[in-house]
Amino acid sequence: MAKVHTSKIELNVELDENRVPEKLTWSAQDGGVSNEEAKAMMLSVWDSKAQESLRIDLWTKDMPVDEMKVFFHQTLVSMSDTFKRATQDEKMTATMKDFCDYFAEKLELNK
């Protein structure tokens, strides 16, 4: 039997006395990432048994609002790209991209 490779992604959250995130770091050895700092993260996993998405959304208390807006926009664009790769649904992908453009316009991110 062939040996199976296991890849590990690690997330670390340092909290203040009120349990508010002060520092987020992540590592992914196979990707060459070691203890890199981040200001925000969104993690979604699919629970097939319950047929629902489970999420962890965290951001540090010093995450600037203007950066959070850009983070959300880039996440929405990435989700559109992932949706296309996963479903090959060109029409819905285009609709999602239109929304991403609208989102950026309303937040004045393209200036």
Side-chain angles (χ1 to χ4, degrees):
M1 181 179 255
K3 186 175 181 179
V4 177
H5 177 78
T6 300
S7 184
K8 182 177 180 180
I9 299 170
E10 186 175 296
L11 305 169
N12 293 295
V13 182
E14 291 181 24
L15 306 171
D16 69 11
E17 62 279 354
N18 297 314
R19 301 186 57 82
V20 175
E22 281 193 317
K23 186 175 181 182
L24 303 172
T25 58
W26 69 289
S27 298
Q29 186 176 6
D30 285 359
V33 178
S34 180
N35 207 36
E36 289 293 321
E37 192 166 344
K39 293 290 183 188
M41 63 166 258
M42 293 182 198
L43 174 67
S44 296
V45 295
W46 179 247
D47 182 336
S48 186
K49 292 177 196 164
Q51 292 288 293
E52 65 182 2
S53 179
L54 307 173
R55 295 185 357 249
I56 298 173
D57 303 324
L58 295 172
W59 56 94
T60 60
K61 57 186 174 184
D62 65 340
M63 173 73 169
V65 172
D66 59 329
E67 287 183 27
M68 182 61 88
K69 291 176 181 180
V70 173
F71 175 59
F72 261 83
H73 177 256
Q74 290 181 5
T75 301
L76 291 169
V77 171
S78 294
M79 288 174 66
S80 300
D81 294 338
T82 301
F83 181 82
K84 181 179 179 185
R85 282 195 319 273
T87 66
Q88 302 304 306
D89 187 332
E90 301 276 344
K91 188 174 180 181
M92 185 52 72
T93 298
T95 300
M96 292 170 72
K97 293 284 188 173
D98 287 344
F99 174 75
C100 291
D101 292 343
Y102 173 81
F103 186 92
E105 178 185 323
K106 290 300 177 185
L107 290 179
E108 299 179 343
L109 298 179
N110 296 331
K111 290 189 174 193

